[in-house]
Amino acid sequence: MRISELAATTGVPVHTLKYYLREGLLMPGEATSRTRAEYTAEHVDRVRLVRALVEHGGVGIAGVRAILAALDSPPPSRHELLGVAHGVLPGAPGGPDAAGDRDVDPAVVAFVERLDWGVGDCSPAVRGLAAAVTRARSAGLPLPDADLEGYARAMRSVAQVDLEVAGRARSPEEAMRTVVLGTVLVDPVLLALRRLAQEAESAARG
Amino acid sequence: MRISELAATTGVPVHTLKYYLREGLLMPGEATSRTRAEYTAEHVDRVRLVRALVEHGGVGIAGVRAILAALDSPPPSRHELLGVAHGVLPGAPGGPDAAGDRDVDPAVVAFVERLDWGVGDCSPAVRGLAAAVTRARSAGLPLPDADLEGYARAMRSVAQVDLEVAGRARSPEEAMRTVVLGTVLVDPVLLALRRLAQEAESAARG
């Protein structure tokens, strides 16, 4: 298909597609003349992925580039793949806007140890959790450990679904794609489900 | 305390405090002379709340004003209170950046009906969920109903903790504060816990 058809199929304007091409976020089409190139279903998939990351995932151009590089050469084991995905995702612990080198609250480290999930306290996910908990508590939300434990148990169930989804992937490429999209695009789904569940739970309690 | 002490206690610079005062986000202190005013512990709480909403909750000035107005005159029933909180929160279904008048995907409405949570399909939470699910699916994540159901069950457990927390409040004011802070500040905690749980679950599966 021509670039105008690629635009029509994906709903992304031609000038944005040209921007993706210039930035290396979209692989060039096959040149059929000096001014024309042919695009394929692979380009459609790539455009949809880039658009989802940029528009709905809040990922910057550098982040998209890192995700695409990881997708092109996925690490061999599923567990390493998760680490790579977490490292490049924005908002994710260890991501560009994470707590960085700030000290991790020892109370949160102790909480994670009591969970007994076998996650080391140097894990970026622990730093991310500590940053979020510290912010909530310093803003006046008590968030006692008992509540946090209830939330942790629920999110462990979420992670079980996540890992089943990733386990269904037929290749490391597909697994990487699933983990990245599943993290960026399922986060808003979970938060919307939380609000829906609050309404349901509130109505049930009268 | 003087404004400089209020700044030192909260970590918010004096010029930002003056901005909050001008915008009506912080109630004036008690004037002790033509150029001086006294601030109290109530001001400290208010500054921390405003800062949390603006900096970590992604709430705009208009949103903060709406939240503060709702905090000052909370609705009588807990269930209505939840509706008000959801209405003013950014990112929340029905909030300023929600799906608006776009058509809700009937597949998502059917999914919510099968959940049998007793939530009507005109609820803003259903619109918010439909928007998030549609975005994920159109970006190439299959997200079958079986996965979505697993996520929904987990988030219902989250909502149970949320409602227990709100139920512990001793006044409608405190309940409103808990719901607003609990929504804005616990969202990032849940997402950080999701990543931590993914690591734990991935390590456990080897």
Side-chain angles (χ1 to χ4, degrees):
Chain A
M1 70 185 79
R2 295 172 58 179
I3 197 162
S4 55
E5 290 168 84
L6 183 60
T9 307
T10 59
V12 174
V14 169
H15 65 90
T16 305
L17 293 178
K18 289 188 172 165
Y19 171 70
Y20 289 174
L21 284 165
R22 278 197 307 277
E23 291 290 335
L25 306 182
L26 179 63
M27 48 288 189
E30 203 189 333
T32 52
S33 80
R34 208 170 50 82
T35 54
R36 274 168 66 166
E38 271 292 303
Y39 298 89
T40 63
E42 215 185 323
H43 291 91
V44 172
D45 284 350
R46 173 59 61 96
V47 169
R48 286 195 173 133
L49 173 62
V50 170
R51 201 196 184 190
L53 293 171
V54 172
E55 282 197 19
H56 309 303
V59 185
I61 296 298
V64 174
R65 223 179 260 128
I67 289 169
L68 295 178
L71 283 174
D72 287 339
S73 52
S77 93
R78 300 271 153 114
H79 191 55
E80 279 171 85
L81 183 146
L82 191 72
V84 172
H86 280 182
V88 295
L89 287 171
D97 50 351
D101 293 329
R102 262 184 285 156
D103 284 340
V104 173
D105 183 349
V108 178
V109 173
F111 168 78
V112 171
E113 270 163 20
R114 275 197 307 280
L115 277 182
D116 201 20
W117 280 2
V119 181
D121 47 297
C122 54
S123 153
V126 175
R127 299 190 79 89
L129 177 65
V133 170
T134 303
R135 271 203 302 266
R137 286 181 177 161
S138 68
L141 196 73
L143 202 59
D145 276 6
D147 293 349
L148 208 49
E149 212 185 299
Y151 290 135
R153 266 197 303 271
M155 297 320 281
R156 181 80 188 228
S157 306
V158 165
Q160 276 157 5
V161 179
D162 290 336
L163 271 280
E164 274 159 37
V165 173
R168 287 200 294 266
R170 282 150 306 181
S171 67
E173 287 80 6
E174 199 189 316
M176 184 76 192
R177 194 183 154 87
T178 303
V179 169
V180 168
L181 285 182
T183 303
V184 172
L185 296 169
V186 172
D187 277 355
V189 171
L190 294 172
L191 299 182
L193 280 169
R194 181 186 179 205
R195 283 151 181 73
L196 190 71
Q198 282 177 345
E199 276 190 26
E201 199 57 37
S202 172
R205 294 176 184 213
Chain B
M1 68 185 79
R2 296 172 57 179
I3 197 163
S4 56
E5 291 166 85
L6 183 60
T9 308
T10 58
V12 175
V14 170
H15 65 91
T16 305
L17 293 177
K18 288 188 173 166
Y19 171 71
Y20 289 175
L21 285 165
R22 276 197 309 276
E23 291 290 334
L25 307 182
L26 179 63
M27 48 286 189
E30 203 188 335
T32 52
S33 82
R34 209 171 47 84
T35 56
R36 273 168 67 165
E38 272 291 303
Y39 298 89
T40 63
E42 213 185 325
H43 291 92
V44 172
D45 284 350
R46 172 59 60 98
V47 170
R48 287 195 173 133
L49 173 63
V50 170
R51 200 195 185 191
L53 293 172
V54 172
E55 282 197 19
H56 311 303
V59 186
I61 295 300
V64 174
R65 220 178 265 130
I67 289 169
L68 295 177
L71 283 174
D72 287 339
S73 52
S77 93
R78 299 272 152 113
H79 191 55
E80 279 171 86
L81 182 145
L82 190 72
V84 172
H86 280 183
V88 295
L89 287 171
D97 51 350
D101 293 327
R102 263 184 284 158
D103 283 341
V104 173
D105 183 350
V108 178
V109 173
F111 168 79
V112 171
E113 270 163 19
R114 276 198 305 279
L115 277 182
D116 202 19
W117 280 2
V119 181
D121 46 298
C122 55
S123 153
V126 175
R127 300 189 77 89
L129 176 65
V133 170
T134 303
R135 271 201 302 266
R137 287 181 176 161
S138 67
L141 196 73
L143 202 60
D145 276 6
D147 292 349
L148 207 50
E149 211 185 300
Y151 290 134
R153 267 196 302 271
M155 298 319 282
R156 181 81 188 228
S157 306
V158 166
Q160 276 157 6
V161 179
D162 290 336
L163 272 279
E164 275 159 37
V165 173
R168 288 199 294 266
R170 280 150 307 181
S171 66
E173 287 80 4
E174 199 188 317
M176 184 75 194
R177 195 183 154 88
T178 303
V179 169
V180 169
L181 285 182
T183 303
V184 172
L185 296 169
V186 172
D187 276 354
V189 171
L190 293 172
L191 299 183
L193 280 170
R194 182 188 177 202
R195 283 150 182 73
L196 190 70
Q198 284 178 343
E199 277 189 27
E201 198 57 37
S202 171
R205 293 177 185 214

